[in-house]
Amino acid sequence: MDSFSAITARMPALRAEITAHPERHRILTGERPTGALHLGHLFGTILERVRLQQMGVETFVVVADYQVITDRDSVGDIATNVREVVRDNLAAGLDPERTTIFTHSAVPELNQLLLPFLSLVSEAELHRNPTVKAEAAAAGRSLSGLLLTYPVHQAADILFCKGTLVPVGKDNLPHVEVARQIARRFGERYGAVFPEPAGLITTAPELPGLDGRKMSKSYGNAISLRMTAEETAAVIRRSQTDSERSITYEPDRRPGVSALLDTAAVCLGRTPADVAEEIGNGGSGALKRLTATAVNDFLAEHRERRAAIDPATVSEVLHDGNARAREIAAATLAEVRAAMGMAY
Ligand code: TRP
């Protein structure tokens, strides 16, 4: 597999190619509807997909409901979570006229691609996937068959619509590599059906959670997009900092302070060091006030748009998106059957 730095080095050329020829590309990306989306999702992938959509690249967003059961027994309030994911994507600026938003469970032809795809990977390869290993360790339980094979299912997400670009965070890059391998191996065995997709690493640095660890709802360190301004100010106020008056950006030594600086900086479009300098000897109180204001100002419009999206609109977007995804998946599956000599 190409190293992260090799992939990063290719990004400027890839971005130039997309700008010059948006019509040559199709984007597929998505998220697991395990709970409310947070600020890390917004900066990490959602705003990026909105920019790409605005550049004229056809975009698909999978609300990956079958991925929810990879590492847990219960789906939780899946219907609400799916609808909230759709709502946040729309509020961020995704236009359902130009972007297809759909769920796994509504597109059987996509899921069927999993069977031929599974035959193209070895058990050892599945066990070697670093993200699967990390997720299995974090789940603290034995690996489910679906967790082991979900990168292959994710390849079906990408390849059913012949996606060429996959905007992902760093932790999902190994999965894009799996999709590339499957596209290539399918081509070698049965003839060319799938283009090889490329991972598109977002230009935004990964936003840490309020304690400096990865932002995650399960760590309780996330700023959820559905929090009110008051709730946002409250979680920031409760976040763990230290008692040094002088505010400096030192992620290793001062994770809490630095995470707040990262958060404020990304919302203000400035560097964390610059924000630290502005606060100077103001201490954690001033840092927290500044951060809360920066986040709330940044999210004000998103929250307004979010509140204006009614449940009927969300239903309609999902219904139309699922129908369109199904049409495309059925056409791809027909090509796959023909390539495999299974068109009876
Ligand atoms: N695994 C991704 C995540 O956890 C979500 C996802 C599902 C995805 N299918 C995808 C991302 C296909 C990119 C492409 O965030």
Side-chain angles (χ1 to χ4, degrees):
M1 180 177 18
D2 284 345
S3 69
F4 179 60
S5 58
I7 293 171
T8 313
R10 281 203 296 273
M11 285 303 118
L14 184 57
R15 284 183 187 278
E17 197 328 275
I18 300 164
T19 312
H21 295 289
E23 76 289 349
R24 285 188 192 158
H25 292 281
R26 234 181 205 184
I27 289 168
L28 181 292
T29 184
E31 48 256 326
R32 283 208 304 171
T34 48
L37 293 187
H38 54 59
L39 203 57
H41 293 116
L42 188 63
F43 281 112
T45 61
I46 297 177
L47 290 176
E48 170 92 334
R49 68 180 75 139
V50 173
R51 280 193 293 275
L52 288 159
Q53 171 198 266
Q54 277 156 359
M55 285 167 64
V57 189
E58 192 184 355
T59 304
F60 292 78
V61 175
V62 58
V63 185
D65 53 358
Y66 279 148
Q67 262 186 28
V68 174
I69 45 172
T70 51
D71 61 355
R72 62 199 78 194
D73 295 330
S74 152
V75 289
D77 191 354
I78 187 90
T80 301
N81 290 340
V82 167
R83 297 174 68 84
E84 292 295 301
V85 166
V86 174
R87 190 184 273 263
D88 274 319
N89 273 281
L90 296 176
L94 278 196
D95 171 4
E97 296 288 317
R98 286 186 283 168
T99 297
T100 303
I101 306 176
F102 67 98
T103 53
H104 279 144
S105 59
V107 188
E109 295 84 354
L110 179 160
N111 296 303
Q112 190 175 327
L113 291 175
L114 184 60
L115 294 177
F117 286 2
L118 279 171
S119 74
L120 298 168
V121 295
S122 72
E123 188 225 342
E125 283 172 329
L126 292 171
H127 279 286
R128 262 202 308 271
N129 186 300
T131 304
V132 168
K133 275 196 207 160
E135 287 171 354
R141 43 145 66 195
S142 65
L143 194 63
S144 79
L146 190 59
L147 181 57
L148 182 64
T149 54
Y150 96 87
V152 182
H153 192 223
Q154 192 157 316
D157 297 345
I158 298 168
L159 297 178
F160 94 93
C161 65
K162 303 189 181 178
T164 60
L165 298 172
V166 190
V168 281
K170 217 162 89 174
D171 59 346
N172 264 267
L173 268 182
H175 304 342
V176 179
E177 193 56 33
V178 171
R180 289 169 69 84
Q181 255 168 9
I182 288 175
R184 202 176 316 131
R185 289 177 187 172
F186 189 94
E188 284 160 5
R189 214 173 274 190
Y190 303 110
V193 171
F194 301 108
E196 274 185 44
L200 196 60
I201 309 166
T202 118
T203 40
E206 194 172 317
L207 183 64
L210 290 169
D211 54 3
R213 291 190 293 168
K214 185 182 164 71
M215 188 179 284
S216 163
K217 197 183 61 129
S218 51
Y219 290 158
N221 63 1
I223 297 174
S224 150
L225 296 177
R226 68 172 174 222
M227 284 177 177
T228 63
E230 293 70 34
E231 286 164 347
T232 303
V235 284
I236 291 175
R237 224 180 298 120
R238 281 199 305 272
S239 72
Q240 180 96 35
T241 50
D242 57 44
S243 55
E244 283 179 48
R245 293 298 303 166
S246 168
I247 296 303
T248 51
Y249 185 62
E250 295 173 77
D252 290 335
R253 194 175 70 84
R254 308 181 73 183
V257 164
S258 302
L260 289 176
L261 288 167
D262 275 320
T263 306
V266 81
C267 290
L268 295 167
R270 291 164 57 183
T271 67
D274 183 36
V275 177
E277 201 171 316
E278 177 184 328
I279 300 166
N281 286 322
S284 290
L287 172 62
K288 288 179 174 179
R289 281 192 297 279
L290 181 145
T291 305
T293 305
V295 173
N296 283 333
D297 286 353
F298 181 83
L299 286 180
E301 271 180 42
H302 182 93
R303 287 175 174 143
E304 241 171 68
R305 284 191 300 261
R306 194 176 198 291
I309 297 166
D310 62 19
T313 303
V314 174
S315 301
E316 198 183 305
V317 166
L318 272 172
H319 182 264
D320 293 354
N322 283 336
R324 177 163 160 72
R326 248 198 113 165
E327 218 175 276
I328 293 170
T332 303
L333 184 60
E335 276 184 65
V336 164
R337 283 207 192 101
M340 297 177 74
M342 293 179 173
Y344 314 121

